[in-house]
């Protein structure tokens, strides 16, 4: 990361807050600017100090992490929320992502994984634990709405094609995103510049209504552009 990332840590357990603050302070390019004891405190401090990222626990008193994430995302869209929790069940994952979380890690994540997630969300990408990303993709492929399966329906027909607004090159880039390639790998494979890849991704985000790279992956799977 070229600039220091200012992080607010939100967790109701003091030993966790202190431990995370110490760990984050040792990571290159990361500055802990405060700690919050619950969701209400996280919302208040996010408004006061405007961090780049809030590292958010889900299970907290007064206001849980999902509601705190929803409030922060609604009031301060420039502040990214990365969930760091012990829970990896579908309900918790989907509720946090629906609320506006840009990343989701479990508390067994190592320092490198946390740093990678912070870097990803600050670059406008998703910072998801691999197991969470797989579950998200599986849900999209199986046609499950966020939060669990919906009511029975008739067998689906062929999946709709991508919108007419997508160009051939954008489809190529989207296919490689679905295959898990990085921007640099896409640029090398398609023989285009990294700046051009970023431009295509920005167009894809706008045209598909996706919030981040994780949602583009789901879009690619849903339209049969990835396997």
């Amino acid at each position: 990361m070229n600039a220091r990332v200012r992080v607010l840590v939100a967790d109701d357990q003091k030993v966790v807050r202190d431990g995370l603050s110490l760990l984050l302070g040792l990571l290159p390019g990361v500055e802990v600017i405060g700690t919050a004891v619950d969701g209400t405190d996280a919302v208040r401090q996010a408004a006061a100090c405007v961090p780049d990222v809030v590292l958010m626990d889900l299970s907290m008193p007064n206001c849980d992490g999902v509601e705190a994430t929803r409030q922060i995302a609604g009031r301060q869209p420039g502040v990214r929320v990365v969930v760091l929790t012990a829970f990896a069940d579908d309900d918790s994952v989907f509720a946090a992502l629906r609320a506006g979380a840009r990343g989701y890690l479990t508390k067994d994540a190592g320092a490198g994984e946390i740093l990678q997630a912070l870097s990803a969300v600050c670059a406008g990408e998703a910072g998801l634990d691999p197991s969470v990303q797989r579950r998200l993709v599986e849900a999209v492929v199986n046609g499950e709405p966020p939060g669990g399966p919906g009511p029975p329906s008739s067998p689906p027909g062929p999946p709709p094609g991508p919108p007419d607004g997508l160009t051939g090159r954008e489809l190529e880039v989207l296919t490689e995103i679905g295959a898990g390639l990085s921007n640099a790998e896409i640029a090398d494979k398609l023989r285009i510049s990294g700046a051009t890849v970023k431009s295509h991704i920005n167009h894809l985000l706008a045209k598909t209504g996706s919030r981040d790279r994780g949602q583009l992956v789901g879009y690619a799977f849903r339209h049969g552009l990835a396997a």
Side-chain angles (χ1 to χ4, degrees):
M1 293 178 288
N2 295 327
R4 295 189 70 81
V5 176
R6 302 166 67 252
V7 179
L8 172 67
V9 176
D11 198 293
D12 63 319
Q13 297 183 27
K14 185 177 187 303
V15 65
V16 176
R17 290 196 307 273
D18 291 348
L20 282 174
S21 297
L22 180 61
L23 172 65
L24 292 170
L26 298 175
L27 298 179
V30 177
E31 176 186 2
V32 178
I33 61 170
T35 60
V37 299
D38 58 30
T40 301
D41 192 22
V43 173
R44 180 184 63 80
Q45 291 202 48
C49 61
V50 193
D52 297 308
V53 180
V54 179
L55 201 58
M56 182 81 72
D57 186 27
L58 288 186
S59 180
M60 295 186 289
N62 300 322
C63 172
D64 65 22
V66 171
E67 179 57 29
T69 296
R70 183 177 294 110
Q71 292 186 33
I72 293 172
R75 300 172 186 177
Q76 298 173 269
V79 177
R80 295 88 162 180
V81 175
V82 173
V83 169
L84 181 64
T85 180
F87 305 104
D89 59 282
D90 290 355
D91 288 345
S92 298
V93 171
F94 287 128
L97 295 178
R98 284 204 318 272
R102 304 297 296 273
Y104 197 108
L105 299 172
T106 57
K107 283 186 174 177
D108 59 358
E113 292 170 288
I114 294 175
L115 181 59
Q116 184 176 12
L118 295 177
S119 301
V121 298
C122 287
E125 302 176 359
L128 300 176
D129 181 278
S131 63
V132 170
Q133 182 162 329
R134 283 194 299 271
R135 180 64 196 104
L136 180 61
V137 170
E138 288 170 1
V140 171
V141 171
N142 294 330
E144 299 175 19
S153 60
S154 57
D164 292 339
L166 293 186
T167 67
R169 180 60 87 180
E170 288 165 355
L171 283 173
E172 290 179 325
V173 172
L174 181 59
T175 298
E176 303 307 334
I177 290 174
L181 271 64
S182 67
N183 285 11
E185 290 170 332
I186 294 172
D188 183 63
K189 183 171 182 178
L190 299 182
R191 299 182 182 278
I192 56 180
S193 69
T196 299
V197 172
K198 290 182 180 179
S199 177
H200 285 314
I201 290 175
N202 287 335
H203 292 160
L204 285 167
L205 291 170
K207 290 181 179 181
T208 64
S210 299
R211 187 177 64 233
D212 51 41
R213 198 183 192 94
Q215 291 193 347
L216 284 178
V217 171
Y219 182 92
F221 273 86
R222 187 166 64 250
H223 289 282
L225 299 172

